[in-house]
Amino acid sequence: MAPLDDDSKKNDVRGPEGHPLEIPRLACGAMADLKSYPAHPAHQEALGFPGELIDNWKEVAIAKIGDLASKNRAFQVYLDACVKCGACTDKCHYFLGTGDPKNMPVARQDLLRSVYRRYYTFAGKNFPWLVGARDLTREVLDEWYNYYHQCSQCRRCSVFCPYGIDTAEISMAAREILDTVGVGQKYCNEIIAKVKDIGNNLGLNPKALRATLEDLEEDLEDETGISVRLPLDEKGADILLITPSADFFAEPHIDGLLGYAKVFHAAGVSWTLSSYASEAANFGMFIGSYENMREIALRIRKAAIELGVKRIVFGECGHAWRVAYSFLNTLAGPFDFLDQNYPIPQHILEFTYNEIQKGTLKFDKSRNDEFRMTYHDSCNVARGSRMGDMPGGQFEIPRAVLRAVCNNYFDMDRDTIMESTVCCGGGGGLLTDELMDLRTKGASPRMKALQQVTKDHGVTHMAAICAICKTQFSKVMPKFGYEMDSILSVHQLVSNAIILDGQESNPDGQASIKDQQEADDNSATAAEE
Amino acid sequence: MSYQVNGTTVEHDEEGYITTLSDWSKDLAEVIAKQEDINMNEEHWEVVNFLRDYYEEYQIAPAVRVLIKAVKKTMGPEKGNNKYMYELFPYGPAKQACKIAGLPKPTGCV
Amino acid sequence: MSTLYALLYYFATLVLVAGLALKIRQYAKTPAPLKIPTTPAPTTGGGVFWRMLRELVFFESLFKSNKWIWLFGYLFHVGLLIVLLRHLRYFTQPVWFWVEWIQPFGVYASFAMVIGLAGLWARRFLVERIRYISSPSDHLMLALLLGIAISGMMMKFVDGTDIVAVKVFFLGLMRFQINELPTQTPLLVHLGLVALLMIIFPISKLLHAPGVFFSPTRNQVDNPREKRHLAAWAAELER
Ligand code: SF4
Ligand code: SF4
């Protein structure tokens, strides 16, 4: 068996923790009962879905499969094209973490494909046993609910499938079908309802947002000795910053927000936040609802027009950047009223990177010497978007910025980063407490890869550019021998290192500006190499 | 899904957050805390009271940082830090303390 | 017997061509509402052309994914391609020079096919993950392809078939005449299985062949910021 079964190779354990991508034995049904809380009727209805399971759910669900297949080429082609080659079976972090075979991407697709075949294909209609087709029953519906809420829509499987079959597309469609028959998920749908009502996932109203920002401005002044602003609703600013509302609330997110503010300050641009579009996240994507995603995206367009800005910049948030980069123009464009000389929209890291290239930012990298860093590529940035002009800029630019502000940077195993990055375990609408068991198991490939670089290079901290990743890691890292604050925002490190004009310089450890620029040049070349 | 306090019944959701905010009372807070394995002492109350005051004014719980700053002012720097907050409320000052304080759970990527 | 096979082949060809045409039309007509290339993706149409070419010629993603599946899959597909091209000699008169030219490789190619198929099938039994995802049709598909390959090889190596007569039969079919078909068992089995394959092609997972060209994660250009992408049904929402 060994020569044909390449899995055995992966079992050569590297260190006590094991290889990050080690393949488990199948544990059938291991996660079958894990169910996230269903949405309340009020939240369902706020999104335009029935409040609870409708009587004729079966007919409606079957019709919805056909409807989606006719409106989305990916869904149609992916339902047909899978050859069950098995190449994707060991690519999902939830399978690697749980061993539940229904968390293998192809098996996850088959939960829906089997029903599609039964009602929409010749073979499935006439010979269901032959092609694994099955009737839609209540059990099947429940199984959809459970396992399509065990997919973080990270797209790792789509990288490795010979036909690019993206399980995320299937799981988005499945959630749309579930919503349509009245069984949505509480976590996502409650949040979307909140965005529509208040403008952000958190439910932070304008008054509270303003108070928070003022409080943070005080902190910034205490820290730097100069006034660095966090403007809100300022008409006529050049840049509208759209950032996840977690940046106003959670740690280490807030430190990232302070970093953006310092970069804008140092670059000398005028910018503003919006209390109306105070959210970068767009959970409409997670539930596969074009209409809801569009409605949320249009808030950004409206805010940009009302504030009269020239540019839109997005803060650190993974799926938000996918929606922004890949979908915003489609959902809420055309943006002909913005300055066409800049990318629309632009990522804060593109902005910071450009400023570093221009030489407008000054850093004292030694201020980050207490950290030995690595970087977690967030799935949606890595596999669903880009930064800069070149394919792969989404990998290079964050690393270049990190190298410009830290002295100690090390990458994790190549098979777990960049386009092969393994999910934090909490993406795609799974960042909810009742799924903690899944989240912990799903994080284990990433955590093992981190443990490797800790062992090999003494890495102490990991940086990320996604609100979900940051929260997820701060919760699960303690289970893997790290502190909850071992996860940092990339712009938190920028914030630590940046030296603002007029700022009291720190006499010891502070490089002269000239040395500093030389160091920057070196690291810029290092990053290019 | 409900708590029993002094003979009355207080409804809560799947995760233990009370559904009608005006149902809250100090006795209820003790009941919820007990269920969370927390023995309410003066510091716990300090946090809970701050959360309730803040909520009263802003209809939302404060950011952790704002909470910690406030705690620092009243209890001193050795208690006004993240670590101490997690000692008080192991499941997080934002979520667990909000539950005891009778506030809605903070939602989103937090 | 000749008439039966003639009718079978007319039917199989009709099903294959019409079925595929319908499927391709369906894929082509179904809009892709959003830009979803798996990034990093090419930023130009030319780049996408190369990406697709690498997928088709080298099975690039599969190579990154799993070397064993790649090896067996590649052996099978390349073998199949050469064997198919070699079969063109039964449908052309005079035979095209390059078909003559690949003639000698056909034999090796048939072995490659069989090894590839056997390897893929073995994995369906030996690797528990793949065993789990296999349904009866996945096994039968491999059995069918192996049956075709082995019956074909038997005609060559075991039971010499009068392939000149076979060619006359097929050239005749192309002109709507029914000529005499030899009746050796391997030939009849071979032709029967091939007809079956043609018939199930448009209703089975063999749709991966046209599907690969229509996969949005692979064939889309990564330029959403520069160029607005809008599906017709989504444009309706903007009214
Ligand atoms: S890699 Fe693609 S074709 Fe192969 S089993 Fe997975 S989804 Fe199907
Ligand atoms: S998209 Fe990610 S989470 Fe979902 S099946 Fe694929 S690898 Fe697993």
Side-chain angles (χ1 to χ4, degrees):
Chain A
M1 165 156 176
L4 280 183
D5 184 356
D6 57 330
D7 313 354
S8 53
K9 271 195 312 190
K10 293 237 163 95
N11 289 332
D12 77 0
V13 177
R14 270 194 234 169
E17 299 86 7
H19 189 279
L21 302 177
E22 182 182 335
I23 301 170
R25 302 234 64 99
L26 297 192
C28 291
M31 305 303 278
D33 297 327
L34 185 68
K35 179 175 181 192
S36 48
Y37 296 133
H40 293 183
H43 300 142
Q44 283 286 101
E45 280 154 16
L47 274 58
F49 301 124
E52 48 196 58
L53 188 65
I54 52 178
D55 292 334
N56 59 339
W57 62 270
K58 196 171 148 183
E59 291 74 41
V60 172
I62 292 167
K64 189 75 187 173
I65 296 178
D67 176 47
L68 290 176
S70 72
K71 282 160 86 179
N72 183 348
R73 182 188 293 167
F75 187 57
Q76 174 68 58
V77 171
Y78 297 160
L79 286 174
D80 282 338
C82 173
V83 296
K84 311 290 167 77
C85 70
C88 61
T89 52
D90 57 349
K91 301 298 183 269
C92 178
H93 53 291
Y94 290 123
F95 171 68
L96 296 179
T98 67
D100 188 323
K102 289 189 177 137
N103 278 328
M104 300 190 296
V106 45
R108 198 188 307 284
Q109 299 157 22
D110 276 349
L111 299 175
L112 205 152
R113 184 180 288 119
S114 55
V115 173
Y116 161 79
R117 283 196 168 155
R118 183 74 181 101
Y119 298 99
Y120 287 96
T121 68
F122 176 83
K125 280 180 196 162
N126 298 291
F127 314 101
W129 51 274
L130 188 66
V131 292
R134 56 180 184 164
D135 291 332
L136 180 56
T137 61
R138 189 59 218 259
E139 288 71 43
V140 170
L141 196 76
D142 291 343
E143 192 176 40
W144 283 359
Y145 187 91
N146 290 10
Y147 283 102
Y148 286 118
H149 291 105
Q150 294 185 34
C151 168
S152 59
Q153 308 176 340
C154 76
R155 314 183 92 208
R156 189 166 194 269
C157 46
S158 86
V159 170
F160 294 100
C161 170
Y163 318 113
I165 294 177
D166 181 3
T167 315
E169 289 292 313
I170 309 279
S171 95
M172 288 168 191
R175 293 185 191 179
E176 165 97 328
I177 295 166
L178 290 165
D179 274 329
T180 308
V181 300
V183 282
Q185 185 219 32
K186 181 185 176 194
Y187 177 70
C188 281
N189 292 4
E190 177 177 20
I191 282 174
I192 295 173
K194 240 177 222 185
V195 176
K196 293 190 185 192
D197 188 24
I198 305 176
N200 54 63
N201 289 3
L202 208 54
L204 196 62
N205 58 62
K207 182 181 167 197
L209 177 56
R210 188 173 296 280
T212 306
L213 294 175
E214 281 167 5
D215 207 273
L216 293 175
E217 281 180 344
E218 259 175 44
D219 285 2
L220 275 170
E221 184 147 6
D222 288 349
E223 180 206 330
T224 62
I226 56 177
S227 145
V228 177
R229 302 211 44 228
L230 286 160
L232 180 67
D233 293 333
E234 289 192 0
K235 284 203 169 149
D238 283 346
I239 293 175
L240 169 62
L241 177 74
I242 303 287
T243 205
S245 58
D247 282 0
F248 308 126
F249 193 82
E251 312 283 339
H253 311 59
I254 282 193
D255 296 287
L257 174 69
L258 302 184
Y260 319 150
K262 287 189 192 173
V263 169
F264 284 141
H265 178 95
V269 293
S270 71
W271 68 288
T272 185
L273 291 154
S274 156
S275 60
Y276 175 75
S278 43
E279 183 60 68
N282 191 329
F283 280 24
M285 181 174 89
F286 295 158
I287 63 166
S289 166
Y290 190 96
E291 288 78 6
N292 278 290
M293 188 157 63
R294 177 164 177 268
E295 206 181 317
I296 297 170
L298 283 172
R299 296 180 77 95
I300 296 170
R301 179 186 178 89
K302 187 160 169 230
I305 293 173
E306 274 172 10
L307 293 168
V309 296
K310 302 197 182 78
R311 304 163 64 177
I312 299 178
V313 173
F314 272 74
E316 296 181 4
C317 180
H319 83 282
W321 180 239
R322 181 178 183 201
V323 177
Y325 172 86
S326 292
F327 307 158
L328 196 66
N329 200 2
T330 298
L331 297 168
F335 287 97
D336 38 19
F337 55 92
L338 297 176
D339 186 341
Q340 304 297 312
N341 293 314
Y342 298 95
I344 306 168
Q346 192 174 31
H347 196 281
I348 184 69
L349 271 164
E350 294 181 306
F351 184 90
T352 301
Y353 178 74
N354 287 348
E355 294 301 319
I356 293 175
Q357 298 304 98
K358 283 195 280 180
T360 35
L361 307 182
K362 285 170 276 175
F363 297 116
D364 175 2
K365 291 165 113 177
S366 67
R367 291 185 193 169
N368 282 320
D369 278 355
E370 60 180 301
F371 307 119
R372 294 178 71 80
M373 294 306 309
T374 190
Y375 174 69
H376 166 79
D377 291 279
S378 297
C379 313
N380 276 297
V381 176
R383 292 183 280 258
S385 78
R386 174 162 57 98
M387 289 179 201
D389 301 329
M390 301 295 289
Q394 68 269 38
F395 311 136
E396 301 310 322
I397 288 176
R399 286 175 171 76
V401 170
L402 281 171
R403 288 202 167 96
V405 300
C406 308
N407 282 314
N408 305 304
Y409 177 81
F410 307 90
D411 265 327
M412 288 177 278
D413 188 313
R414 180 64 182 85
D415 291 337
T416 70
I417 58 170
M418 301 191 181
E419 79 285 355
S420 303
T421 188
V422 279
C423 173
C424 64
L430 310 186
L431 192 75
T432 179
D433 292 339
E434 70 272 20
L435 296 179
M436 194 47 102
D437 180 38
L438 177 82
R439 285 165 55 186
T440 309
K441 289 171 175 161
S444 66
R446 167 51 75 229
M447 289 292 101
K448 287 180 190 168
L450 178 62
Q451 284 165 346
Q452 281 183 343
V453 281
T454 296
K455 197 159 140 245
D456 297 346
H457 303 289
V459 164
T460 58
H461 289 72
M462 183 162 73
I465 54 167
C466 169
I468 291 177
C469 296
K470 293 172 197 174
T471 297
Q472 158 76 351
F473 284 130
S474 71
K475 298 283 186 297
V476 300
M477 283 176 106
K479 300 176 203 268
F480 291 89
Y482 297 88
E483 299 293 322
M484 60 178 291
D485 53 8
S486 301
I487 177 75
L488 305 177
S489 298
V490 168
H491 272 82
Q492 174 177 9
L493 292 154
V494 173
S495 170
N496 292 345
I498 201 166
I499 304 166
L500 301 177
D501 281 341
Q503 201 180 338
E504 292 280 315
S505 61
N506 160 14
D508 36 46
Q510 153 101 55
S512 78
I513 287 175
K514 184 163 162 294
D515 290 350
Q516 190 54 44
Q517 272 169 351
E518 272 168 21
D520 286 348
D521 290 343
N522 291 341
S523 63
T525 26
E528 275 156 24
E529 275 162 9
Chain B
M1 291 190 290
S2 58
Y3 297 111
Q4 302 299 326
V5 197
N6 304 335
T8 57
T9 309
V10 177
E11 294 294 318
H12 64 74
D13 69 4
E14 307 89 329
E15 297 167 81
Y17 294 82
I18 58 172
T19 36
T20 313
L21 302 191
S22 55
D23 284 348
W24 189 84
S25 64
K26 298 222 160 193
D27 291 340
L28 174 64
E30 297 278 3
V31 171
I32 304 176
K34 192 154 288 157
Q35 225 157 69
E36 299 275 315
D37 259 339
I38 287 175
N39 232 331
M40 294 293 284
N41 62 22
E42 211 176 306
E43 276 94 3
H44 290 107
W45 276 112
E46 188 84 36
V47 172
V48 165
N49 289 335
F50 177 78
L51 289 181
R52 287 193 61 84
D53 290 347
Y54 193 96
Y55 189 87
E56 180 100 345
E57 182 161 6
Y58 295 110
Q59 279 75 56
I60 186 152
V64 178
R65 175 183 296 246
V66 173
L67 169 68
I68 287 175
K69 218 157 98 178
V71 171
K72 208 185 251 170
K73 271 187 197 143
T74 53
M75 298 195 232
E78 69 283 357
K79 291 181 178 170
N81 60 57
N82 217 9
K83 218 171 161 164
Y84 189 73
M85 282 302 119
Y86 273 82
E87 273 168 33
L88 287 180
F89 300 100
Y91 286 96
K95 288 189 175 169
Q96 202 171 24
C98 278
K99 193 187 286 185
I100 296 169
L103 310 182
K105 176 178 160 165
T107 53
C109 311
V110 296
Chain C
M1 192 55 82
S2 304
T3 319
L4 187 70
Y5 268 77
L7 292 178
L8 179 64
Y9 266 83
Y10 283 133
F11 176 67
T13 310
L14 187 76
V15 170
L16 177 71
V17 172
L20 271 188
L22 280 176
K23 265 294 169 189
I24 289 175
R25 201 176 74 121
Q26 180 192 35
Y27 293 161
K29 274 183 61 182
T30 308
L34 293 165
K35 280 284 191 146
I36 57 165
T38 312
T39 59
T43 54
T44 61
V48 165
F49 177 81
W50 285 112
R51 182 184 202 178
M52 293 302 292
L53 201 71
R54 291 198 309 273
E55 288 294 352
L56 292 171
V57 176
F58 302 115
F59 299 4
E60 186 182 40
S61 297
L62 187 57
F63 184 78
K64 276 193 283 189
S65 183
N66 188 308
K67 300 291 187 281
W68 282 112
I69 303 178
W70 179 85
L71 178 73
F72 293 132
Y74 203 73
L75 275 176
F76 163 65
H77 282 90
V78 170
L80 177 68
L81 177 70
I82 296 174
V83 167
L84 278 178
L85 292 176
R86 183 173 174 275
H87 277 65
L88 283 175
R89 64 187 285 106
Y90 305 122
F91 302 93
T92 51
Q93 184 65 19
V95 175
W96 299 329
F97 73 93
W98 56 268
V99 176
E100 291 281 11
W101 185 76
I102 58 170
Q103 173 77 9
F105 300 104
V107 175
Y108 303 110
S110 65
F111 281 107
M113 256 179 88
V114 170
I115 294 170
L117 287 169
L120 290 173
W121 206 354
R123 284 186 61 87
R124 285 212 187 278
F125 288 106
L126 297 179
V127 181
E128 69 170 348
R129 303 189 312 280
I130 304 187
R131 193 163 61 227
Y132 180 90
I133 59 167
S134 301
S135 50
S137 60
D138 299 311
H139 289 283
L140 287 177
M141 189 66 73
L142 286 164
L144 177 61
L145 288 165
L146 259 182
I148 291 172
I150 291 173
S151 59
M153 289 164 80
M154 278 172 68
M155 289 155 58
K156 169 98 189 157
F157 299 112
V158 183
D159 184 7
T161 300
D162 181 0
I163 49 170
V164 177
V166 175
K167 181 165 180 175
V168 170
F169 176 78
F170 277 103
L171 286 175
L173 283 189
M174 290 163 72
R175 290 173 188 77
F176 300 102
Q177 320 160 348
I178 301 177
N179 298 321
E180 200 59 34
L181 181 69
T183 53
Q184 285 102 330
T185 315
L187 173 71
L188 294 184
V189 169
H190 187 71
L191 292 182
L193 293 180
V194 169
L196 182 60
L197 184 74
M198 289 165 72
I199 291 166
I200 62 175
F201 201 107
I203 56 167
S204 70
K205 66 176 185 177
L206 299 178
L207 285 173
H208 70 280
V212 63
F213 293 95
F214 290 97
S215 174
T217 56
R218 292 290 182 272
N219 73 8
Q220 285 186 340
V221 181
D222 176 21
N223 61 356
R225 288 196 286 197
E226 292 77 20
K227 198 159 169 284
R228 186 161 187 239
H229 174 92
L230 196 64
W233 65 260
E236 288 293 308
L237 299 175
E238 296 187 1
R239 296 273 179 91

